[in-house]
Amino acid sequence: MADGPVAELLLRRLQAADGGLDSAELAAELGVEHQAVVGAVKSLQALGEVIEAELRSTKRWELTAEGEEIAREGSHEARVFRSVPPEGLAQSELMRLPSGKVGFSKAMSNKWIRVDKSVADGPRVFRVVDSMEDEVQRRLQLVRGGQAEKLGEKEKSELRKRKLLTEVTLKTYWVSKGSAFSTSISKQETELSPEMISSGHLHPLLKVRSQFRQIFLEMGFTEMPTDNFIESSFWNFDALFQPQQHPARDQHDTFFLRDPAEALQLPMDYVQRVKRTHSQGGYGSQGYKYNWKLDEARKNLLRTHTTSASARALYRLAQKKPFTPAKYFSIDRVFRNETLDATHLAEFHQIEGVVADHGLTLGHLMGVLREFFTKLGITQLRFKPAYNPYTEPSMEVFSYHQGLKKWVEVGNSGIFRPEMLLPMGLPENVSVIAWGLSLERPTMIKYGINNIRELVGHKVNLQMVYDSPLCRLDAEPRPSQTQVAA
Ligand code: FB9
């Protein structure tokens, strides 16, 4: 759903542009994060042929943190020059200045200063020239102003050697008009349109799903394919380092298939690494020390979570060399052989977010959870240690719900274990943080629905669907609808 202002601005700029536009340049022009433009591109792409977007890598020069500081304050050698008064300065005193050690030798080689060793009480530094040009600062300011092309290769490599400049590869989109281009965003039949949502004639789950999708797209996440309800035990459990004797793999928790009972196409080299990790350990893990069976892994089932899709996406990511960081999401149906009650059916929609990058920690996970839930209007979060077979550490996420006047569990999260990631072939220094929640829970709370059967199933009152108002997740529920079991 591309009704965000960035998407509309992009379309208007595209209308006026001859040929196309670059997402990074548009972000700079609009004064927004590049991710926001990427999110708008992705949501426009989801609408069909409104735009064409070609991913491309552009290299560009950026200042390092030290480079930014020098662009602001001047080079160390310039600061040393400016610190020497007409009567000179004891070298010992100069070397104690913040820029002394780094700037002294450069100021000497520039012949801006000299040392008189004949002075009685020790070597004294004097200026050689009355003024100087701080070329380093000037060049860095050119780069900061987007004029790196005015520097010669030699000048750039010198700044890079001093770690003041770095060349970054930026993945940007070259956006051009699609065959169905329009500046007023119209939606394909299968896609939600603001009109459809605001008309209210949409099932509440679909409306809430669309808003979660928009949040992920704005955060720069890419939607994972999840169109296989049937999954192998291998991808649903074994690839996640969930042992074959784990209770969740029993019939009373999981729907296994009679026909087709077995998954025949598994990536056998990867399967062998998974088998070894479960049975003997490896990658620093002692494993579970049991006789892992391929037949067990081949058993087909109705996926019990969308984390199986995350496993597939991460395995695909691991095959791409060199590793590039990624942010994925999914929102789709999962099936559990649960005891049914007012808030539990044998299926629900799981929402899952995954971030893969070098050196991610629990702090990064807390940060991305805060950003995600803040977009839902949920700002008071608490994290509680938890256990998942495939994440360590794991946290349950709680939020204080003003309407319900109590802390409610709003999701679960964790860092995928190395025993899951390393057999896939992901580099050792890559970590993956992830979190999940359901679609039904927030929908029930926001629409004041007490019994899950009012939301899904053959007893749904279609008038409710027709009448249900446009709802914003980040707004408080209507006063009459706050007594809901979370
Ligand atoms: O959605 C849940 N609660 C929730 C979410 C949002 C919300 O918003 C309100 C508008 C303000 C309110 C409530 N829960 C998760 C928490 C509970 O409801 C829980 O009792 C039920 N859980 C489901 C599973 O139960 C079998 C919700 C479902 C769930 C739980 C965990 C995950 C996904 C869905 C997960 C995960 C995960 C963990 C680590 C790595 C990857 C995925």
Side-chain angles (χ1 to χ4, degrees):
M1 181 183 71
D3 61 352
V6 174
E8 286 160 12
L9 290 170
L10 186 154
L11 292 172
R12 282 209 288 274
R13 285 290 197 296
L14 199 49
Q15 174 80 344
D18 51 347
L21 54 82
D22 175 81
S23 57
E25 288 167 14
L26 178 64
E29 225 179 279
L30 299 179
V32 299
E33 286 290 316
H34 183 233
Q35 280 301 11
V37 175
V38 171
V41 167
K42 288 180 180 296
S43 49
L44 285 166
Q45 280 179 310
L47 305 182
E49 307 303 314
V50 179
I51 61 167
E52 295 288 329
E54 176 209 337
L55 187 62
R56 59 185 199 175
S57 294
T58 43
K59 288 185 182 305
R60 75 177 189 192
W61 291 93
E62 283 185 356
L63 302 189
T64 61
E66 190 183 355
E68 284 288 352
E69 199 254 348
I70 289 178
R72 273 196 318 274
E73 314 294 341
S75 65
H76 296 291
E77 54 271 31
R79 287 181 240 177
V80 161
F81 173 77
R82 285 195 287 269
S83 69
V84 178
E87 67 274 17
L89 181 67
Q91 183 173 359
S92 56
E93 202 180 320
L94 183 144
M95 298 310 265
R96 282 197 295 273
L97 295 176
S99 290
K101 286 194 175 55
V102 178
F104 173 74
S105 51
K106 199 72 184 152
M108 287 289 285
S109 62
N110 289 349
K111 299 189 178 4
W112 292 349
I113 58 173
R114 65 182 172 80
V115 178
D116 181 347
K117 294 193 167 67
S118 64
V119 174
D121 51 4
R124 199 167 182 81
V125 178
F126 293 89
R127 287 188 180 189
V128 172
V129 293
D130 295 335
S131 65
M132 50 79 201
E133 285 298 317
D134 190 351
E135 269 301 301
V136 170
Q137 182 184 35
R138 186 186 67 79
R139 290 170 189 166
L140 291 172
Q141 287 172 340
L142 278 177
V143 175
R144 191 175 57 178
Q147 299 178 301
E149 70 283 355
K150 290 188 174 171
L151 296 189
E153 286 314 310
K154 186 168 169 295
E155 291 164 336
K156 280 186 271 196
S157 64
E158 206 178 284
L159 293 172
R160 181 159 55 176
K161 241 183 279 168
R162 289 182 65 173
K163 296 189 176 14
L164 303 178
L165 201 54
T166 177
E167 190 172 30
V168 294
T169 302
L170 192 65
K171 291 202 180 301
T172 64
Y173 282 97
W174 178 255
V175 186
S176 51
K177 292 174 186 161
S179 55
F181 178 75
S182 157
T183 51
S184 62
I185 302 168
S186 60
K187 304 287 181 290
Q188 284 188 336
E189 278 319 299
T190 54
E191 289 302 326
L192 292 175
S193 70
E195 296 70 31
M196 281 167 74
I197 291 185
S198 55
S199 70
H201 307 318
L202 259 185
H203 192 284
L205 277 180
L206 281 178
K207 287 187 220 170
V208 175
R209 184 184 69 173
S210 174
Q211 282 161 352
F212 273 108
R213 178 173 283 134
Q214 182 60 25
I215 286 171
F216 275 115
L217 290 174
E218 281 170 5
M219 290 173 70
F221 284 64
T222 301
E223 191 156 13
M224 291 181 270
T226 55
D227 51 0
N228 61 306
F229 290 171
I230 295 175
E231 186 54 276
S232 65
S233 295
F234 175 77
W235 286 107
N236 199 80
F237 293 122
D238 297 283
L240 303 178
F241 195 57
Q242 191 153 347
Q244 294 187 335
Q245 62 273 37
H246 190 284
R249 297 182 69 154
D250 291 351
Q251 303 268 357
H252 68 269
D253 264 9
T254 298
F255 292 111
F256 288 93
L257 266 70
R258 189 174 302 121
D259 182 17
E262 287 203 335
L264 302 175
Q265 288 196 330
L266 295 174
M268 289 318 288
D269 56 332
Y270 173 40
V271 169
Q272 287 312 317
R273 294 195 295 273
V274 169
K275 169 181 178 146
R276 193 172 56 248
T277 310
H278 280 244
S279 51
Q280 304 159 26
Y283 311 103
S285 167
Q286 62 175 4
Y288 289 115
K289 297 186 172 44
Y290 71 96
N291 177 22
W292 183 91
K293 294 192 176 67
L294 179 57
D295 290 353
E296 188 58 37
R298 285 193 186 283
K299 285 180 182 173
N300 277 330
L301 46 74
L302 290 181
R303 66 182 176 212
T304 62
H305 47 201
T306 48
T307 316
S308 57
S310 303
R312 284 174 176 271
L314 290 168
Y315 176 71
R316 273 195 306 276
L317 180 67
Q319 309 321 303
K320 287 185 221 154
K321 311 287 183 195
F323 167 79
T324 46
K327 298 190 289 192
Y328 299 127
F329 78 94
S330 60
I331 307 174
D332 213 333
R333 289 163 72 178
V334 297
F335 308 85
R336 301 205 182 166
N337 196 352
E338 298 258 10
T339 311
L340 310 184
D341 62 25
T343 58
H344 286 88
L345 289 176
E347 62 179 89
F348 66 93
H349 289 74
Q350 180 171 335
I351 298 167
E352 184 154 326
V354 178
V355 182
D357 202 341
H358 296 289
L360 292 180
T361 66
L362 211 55
H364 295 99
L365 176 56
M366 290 176 172
V368 73
L369 287 169
R370 287 195 192 285
E371 184 186 358
F372 177 77
F373 280 104
T374 299
K375 288 175 180 284
L376 290 173
I378 297 177
T379 50
Q380 281 178 290
L381 284 188
R382 278 184 182 167
F383 303 104
K384 182 181 163 195
Y387 174 77
N388 289 319
Y390 39 85
T391 53
E392 182 56 36
S394 309
M395 303 183 300
E396 281 167 353
V397 188
F398 287 81
S399 163
Y400 188 75
H401 197 281
Q402 295 300 343
L404 305 173
K405 299 283 178 264
K406 66 177 187 174
W407 287 91
V408 296
E409 186 188 346
V410 292
N412 193 301
S413 65
I415 303 181
F416 283 131
R417 297 178 64 147
E419 296 94 331
M420 168 183 164
L421 303 177
L422 295 175
M424 291 182 174
L426 286 169
E428 282 206 9
N429 58 358
V430 166
S431 38
V432 183
I433 57 179
W435 73 99
L437 63 155
S438 77
L439 183 63
E440 282 75 7
R441 282 285 191 280
T443 306
M444 287 173 74
I445 288 180
K446 281 299 177 187
Y447 282 88
I449 295 172
N450 275 327
N451 187 314
I452 187 87
R453 286 162 188 72
E454 292 172 43
L455 189 65
V456 287
H458 64 288
K459 291 184 179 170
V460 167
N461 164 7
L462 290 181
Q463 194 58 44
M464 175 277 286
V465 177
Y466 193 85
D467 295 342
S468 63
L470 174 62
C471 148
R472 290 208 57 88
L473 272 172
D474 54 356
E476 282 307 307
R478 288 176 291 161
S480 61
Q481 299 160 351
T482 50
Q483 292 75 29
V484 172

